[in-house]
Amino acid sequence: MLIAWGVTSGGGGESRNDGKPGGSDPVESITPGPSGSGPAISQQPGGRDESGENGGSGGTGGADGGAGASSGGAGDGSSSDGASTGGAGTAGSGAGGGGTAGQQVPAGSPLPECRPDAVRLSLRTKVSYGPDDKPTFELIAKNTSSAACKADLGPKSAVLTVTEAGGEDDDPIWSSKDCPAAAGPLFLKVPAGATVIHTVDWNRTLSTPGCATPPAGKAGPGTYLLEAKAPGGPVQRASFVLAKD
């Protein structure tokens, strides 16, 4: 029996148990080796960081034309976006540059009001709007001073008007100050050297000063002139087209 056992466990390995490393007896315990020096993997494989720097939940994007959310009332709405001035498919006037959403601050905040000579106002809108599109107008304020301030871009301070090009008279068919949903000031913080954008929606309805009953109907197809006027600054102008069906 001892001779038979020696033959079967000898070289050749034909009857080796593959469950044992090298054909040796089982090891009762495994001593862990030294840990690796590389960095640990802290991210799930195949996943995406939802709160990363790019595409995260806190980022803002700029769409062409910068459509804002309407807050109702005589076609006057307000919102902000990250669109920059200029670019294809837009028309505008004044100085521009990159812009960010304006942070609204209370009228009584300690932040000083922007001096008229410290803020450069410009205006932008799309060149053309389809029959079902709601025109959007961007007021762009750039702080050229070395200190942050607050600029009033409310409907009665930074007044927007729409006039029909080639009409019988030069009276606007719509004005942001005629019957705004919120008649008070709208102060936005403008950091030093920065640019903020305030967007106003127009639902094509007509308006009359003092919230009087406006003419029936809405603005039809044609070319229109857009103007923005703020205290102490020049009038900014742009034009756009309301396309036919």
Side-chain angles (χ1 to χ4, degrees):
M1 291 178 63
L2 291 175
I3 294 173
W5 180 87
V7 172
T8 57
S9 63
E14 293 294 329
S15 61
R16 186 181 64 189
N17 184 355
D18 290 337
K20 302 178 184 179
S24 61
D25 292 336
V27 180
E28 295 182 359
S29 64
I30 299 176
T31 303
S35 60
S37 59
I41 299 176
S42 60
Q43 193 172 11
Q44 295 183 357
R48 185 180 64 180
D49 186 0
E50 296 296 337
S51 60
E53 293 180 0
N54 295 324
S57 59
T60 56
D64 185 24
S70 175
S71 62
D76 175 56
S78 63
S79 70
S80 301
D81 73 359
S84 60
T85 58
T90 61
S93 63
T100 58
Q103 176 188 349
Q104 186 173 353
V105 296
S109 70
L111 198 66
E113 290 193 37
C114 299
R115 303 189 316 271
D117 60 346
V119 174
R120 294 161 62 186
L121 189 69
S122 56
L123 181 63
R124 189 178 77 164
T125 186
K126 282 186 177 182
V127 172
S128 179
Y129 293 94
D132 299 324
D133 294 340
K134 179 186 293 184
T136 57
F137 312 137
E138 290 181 342
L139 282 169
I140 305 160
K142 179 176 177 59
N143 185 357
T144 61
S145 71
S146 58
C149 59
K150 59 185 178 185
D152 184 6
L153 298 183
K156 290 191 174 183
S157 179
V159 180
L160 289 167
T161 59
V162 175
T163 304
E164 188 175 4
E168 297 180 357
D169 54 49
D170 295 332
D171 293 336
I173 63 171
W174 176 84
S175 173
S176 64
K177 70 176 182 179
D178 281 348
C179 191
L186 175 64
F187 284 105
L188 298 183
K189 178 181 178 180
V190 191
T195 300
V196 299
I197 299 176
H198 172 60
T199 303
V200 176
D201 295 342
W202 178 45
N203 58 10
R204 304 192 185 207
T205 58
L206 312 182
S207 69
T208 306
C211 287
T213 303
K218 295 187 176 183
T223 301
Y224 293 84
L225 306 178
L226 174 66
E227 292 187 350
K229 181 69 171 68
V235 176
Q236 303 296 325
R237 295 181 174 87
S239 64
F240 62 94
V241 172
L242 298 182
K244 296 181 180 180
D245 295 339

